[in-house]
Amino acid sequence: MHSSNLIEFYRSLPLPVVPKGFEILHPQLSPEVMRVVRKFFTKYYSDNRTRKLLLGINPGRHGAGMTGINFTAPRQLTNNCEIDHPWGNSSELSAEFIYAMIDQYGGSEKFYSNFFIGAVSPLGYIKDGKNINYYDDKNLQKAVTPFIIETIQKQLSMGLSSEVCFCIGGEKNYKFLTALNDKHKLFQKIIPLAHPRFIMQYRRKKMDEYIHQYLDALHTC
């Protein structure tokens, strides 16, 4: 996969028609976000190496919904990726876990040379001013399912490996993605991983154990 393909993918995401009361979170529509996205992808993906895919749920307002980069908040952009941006030093729990894991893997350059972190839905959703996951509302899930299938297939066509997918979110996200995979044969295997926000909110004392679970899964495959 090459940086130019990723940049174009996020720049030109089609917008699904969502039910009344929902808003779409598409940060890459912002020129400033796209400037940062270009720098990130150019830095880590300017080659034709095949990467394995990790899929989260969908962007939220305080991480990818701000920076345009999955599981990467402003602080991680600065400290871990050394990319300048205008968003200050705010962080986000999921990003803190992911980059702690990436650090133990060997750092951002090594990690991103082997993996790409995306989302089952590369667009986020907002209802009543709050983040909502694509699967939290049956009508929303039904409306965005064709979009999800199309964008996963497009990412695979850009050089991501279909051998295995690591599903970040081991319950509802994994259940949905597994059902989708049974029907559309996207991946040979899907491996569930606990969601970082769950870990950081409810299992923080066991954070190191979860990091090792992630690393064991990534190294095994």
XYZ file of all heavy atoms in Angstrom, residues 25 27-28 33 36 58-77 87 90-96 99 131 197:
278
model
N -19.223 12.455 11.094
C -17.949 13.054 11.486
C -16.914 12.679 10.425
O -16.485 11.530 10.331
C -17.534 12.522 12.859
C -16.251 13.076 13.489
C -16.377 14.580 13.735
C -15.956 12.349 14.798
N -13.520 14.296 9.519
C -12.517 15.337 9.770
C -11.649 15.663 8.561
O -11.141 16.780 8.438
C -11.674 14.744 10.902
C -11.882 13.269 10.803
C -13.296 13.103 10.349
N -11.480 14.696 7.651
C -10.604 14.917 6.501
C -11.168 15.939 5.513
O -10.479 16.328 4.562
C -10.323 13.597 5.775
C -9.497 12.611 6.571
C -10.338 11.730 7.486
O -11.573 11.858 7.534
N -9.703 10.821 8.207
N -6.705 19.309 8.616
C -6.624 17.882 8.931
C -5.955 17.122 7.787
O -5.079 16.280 8.010
C -8.030 17.299 9.212
C -7.966 15.772 9.328
C -8.603 17.888 10.496
N -2.195 17.352 7.842
C -1.590 16.447 8.814
C -1.680 14.997 8.339
O -0.727 14.225 8.476
C -2.265 16.631 10.193
C -1.824 15.539 11.166
C -1.943 18.014 10.758
N -15.226 3.248 14.969
C -15.331 4.429 14.109
C -14.720 5.612 14.847
O -14.585 5.580 16.083
C -16.778 4.721 13.686
C -17.788 4.678 14.804
O -18.691 3.837 14.804
N -17.659 5.566 15.783
N -14.294 6.648 14.144
C -13.639 7.783 14.793
C -14.541 8.467 15.828
O -15.765 8.505 15.678
C -13.333 8.735 13.630
C -13.332 7.866 12.419
C -14.339 6.789 12.685
N -13.909 8.992 16.874
C -14.597 9.802 17.867
C -14.070 11.223 17.828
O -13.006 11.491 17.252
N -14.775 12.133 18.452
C -14.462 13.563 18.322
C -13.100 13.952 18.863
O -12.502 14.915 18.400
C -15.539 14.391 19.036
C -16.895 14.371 18.357
C -17.921 15.050 19.219
N -18.058 14.368 20.502
C -18.475 14.936 21.625
N -18.770 16.225 21.641
N -18.589 14.239 22.727
N -12.581 13.213 19.868
C -11.381 13.671 20.551
C -10.104 12.972 20.099
O -9.031 13.281 20.573
C -11.545 13.498 22.062
C -12.750 14.221 22.602
N -12.875 15.586 22.533
C -13.891 13.763 23.182
C -14.039 15.951 23.063
N -14.676 14.859 23.461
N -10.224 12.024 19.193
C -9.044 11.337 18.658
C -8.982 11.533 17.166
O -8.636 12.606 16.673
N -9.347 10.470 16.431
C -9.322 10.550 14.973
C -10.289 11.584 14.424
O -10.063 12.137 13.350
C -9.642 9.178 14.371
N -11.347 11.865 15.165
C -12.284 12.890 14.726
C -11.686 14.274 14.729
O -12.198 15.182 14.069
N -10.586 14.452 15.445
C -9.871 15.718 15.463
C -8.677 15.695 14.516
O -8.464 16.618 13.734
C -9.390 16.040 16.887
C -8.705 17.384 17.031
S -8.081 17.672 18.711
C -9.614 17.654 19.641
N -7.883 14.605 14.581
C -6.623 14.554 13.837
C -6.749 13.905 12.463
O -5.874 14.094 11.614
C -5.571 13.760 14.630
O -5.989 12.387 14.733
C -5.381 14.342 16.024
N -7.794 13.103 12.252
C -7.935 12.383 11.001
C -7.164 11.083 10.950
O -7.173 10.393 9.930
N -6.507 10.719 12.053
C -5.662 9.518 12.092
C -6.160 8.623 13.222
O -6.228 9.046 14.382
C -4.185 9.886 12.304
C -3.725 10.785 11.150
C -3.319 8.633 12.381
C -2.439 11.505 11.431
N -6.472 7.395 12.903
C -7.122 6.511 13.862
C -6.276 6.276 15.111
O -5.076 6.016 15.023
C -7.440 5.173 13.193
C -8.561 5.309 12.191
O -9.683 5.652 12.539
N -8.270 5.056 10.928
N -6.947 6.368 16.272
C -6.336 6.140 17.582
C -5.134 7.056 17.828
O -4.211 6.690 18.568
C -5.917 4.670 17.748
C -7.081 3.735 17.910
C -7.554 3.002 16.835
C -7.729 3.597 19.131
C -8.649 2.150 16.976
C -8.811 2.751 19.285
C -9.276 2.033 18.207
N -5.160 8.233 17.244
C -4.060 9.182 17.397
C -4.619 10.544 17.767
O -5.258 11.211 16.942
C -3.239 9.282 16.096
O -2.800 7.976 15.710
C -2.022 10.173 16.292
N -4.401 10.957 19.012
C -4.821 12.264 19.483
C -3.664 13.258 19.298
O -2.542 12.870 18.956
C -5.238 12.174 20.955
N -3.904 14.560 19.525
C -2.846 15.553 19.304
C -1.541 15.257 20.038
O -0.455 15.429 19.476
C -3.493 16.847 19.806
C -4.949 16.673 19.489
C -5.216 15.218 19.778
N -1.611 14.802 21.287
C -0.374 14.552 22.044
C 0.463 13.455 21.395
O 1.692 13.552 21.328
C -0.698 14.161 23.486
C 0.542 14.005 24.378
C 0.146 13.653 25.796
N -0.723 14.685 26.353
C -1.402 14.548 27.488
N -1.324 13.414 28.181
N -2.170 15.528 27.936
N -0.192 12.414 20.909
C 0.547 11.317 20.277
C 1.127 11.745 18.924
O 2.207 11.294 18.540
C -0.355 10.095 20.110
C -0.672 9.365 21.416
C -1.673 10.119 22.279
O -2.600 10.744 21.757
N -1.505 10.064 23.586
N 0.418 12.625 18.227
C 0.960 13.167 16.979
C 2.292 13.861 17.231
O 3.248 13.710 16.473
C -0.013 14.175 16.371
C -0.966 13.720 15.273
C -1.771 14.911 14.770
C -0.241 13.054 14.122
N -3.425 21.637 17.212
C -4.481 21.233 18.137
C -4.036 21.112 19.592
O -4.730 20.489 20.401
C -5.104 19.919 17.666
C -5.657 20.040 16.281
C -6.560 20.955 15.839
C -5.317 19.237 15.152
N -6.820 20.772 14.508
C -6.066 19.720 14.048
C -4.455 18.159 14.957
C -5.971 19.167 12.781
C -4.366 17.602 13.690
C -5.118 18.104 12.611
N -3.801 17.908 23.831
C -4.826 17.049 24.421
C -4.572 15.593 24.046
O -3.962 15.283 23.023
C -6.220 17.471 23.954
O -6.350 17.323 22.554
N -5.043 14.708 24.918
C -4.872 13.289 24.677
C -6.224 12.595 24.762
O -7.265 13.241 24.936
C -3.893 12.684 25.689
O -3.571 11.357 25.346
N -6.208 11.296 24.644
C -7.431 10.504 24.638
C -7.068 9.099 25.084
O -6.005 8.577 24.733
C -8.020 10.527 23.226
C -9.418 9.995 23.082
C -9.416 8.546 22.648
O -8.400 8.082 22.115
O -10.442 7.877 22.876
N -7.915 8.477 25.914
C -7.546 7.219 26.562
C -7.147 6.132 25.568
O -6.154 5.432 25.769
C -8.716 6.727 27.432
C -8.970 7.503 28.716
C -10.198 6.933 29.427
C -7.765 7.463 29.652
N -7.922 5.962 24.522
C -7.614 4.901 23.564
C -6.261 5.140 22.899
O -5.480 4.199 22.686
C -8.713 4.815 22.495
O -9.920 4.378 23.068
N -5.968 6.389 22.571
C -4.691 6.724 21.950
C -3.531 6.450 22.908
O -2.464 5.980 22.489
C -4.680 8.187 21.517
N -3.742 6.707 24.189
C -2.685 6.454 25.167
C -2.345 4.971 25.229
O -1.169 4.589 25.291
C -3.120 6.973 26.536
C -3.173 8.494 26.602
C -3.722 9.007 27.914
O -3.856 8.194 28.865
O -4.028 10.210 28.008
N -0.588 3.800 21.784
C 0.807 4.223 21.615
C 1.721 3.648 22.686
O 2.921 3.500 22.445
C 0.901 5.745 21.494
C 0.628 6.165 20.067
C -0.668 6.443 19.635
C 1.652 6.222 19.131
C -0.930 6.783 18.318
C 1.407 6.563 17.812
C 0.117 6.842 17.406
O -0.138 7.158 16.094
N -20.587 11.308 20.690
C -20.176 10.206 19.830
C -21.177 9.059 19.923
O -21.719 8.777 20.996
C -18.808 9.658 20.266
C -17.681 10.646 20.052
O -17.725 11.462 19.143
N -16.663 10.558 20.891
N -10.349 1.736 25.134
C -11.112 2.560 26.076
C -11.640 1.714 27.233
O -11.609 2.132 28.391
C -12.266 3.273 25.367
C -13.120 4.126 26.315
C -13.962 5.112 25.578
N -13.164 6.183 25.002
C -12.748 7.248 25.685
N -13.033 7.374 26.963
N -12.049 8.170 25.078
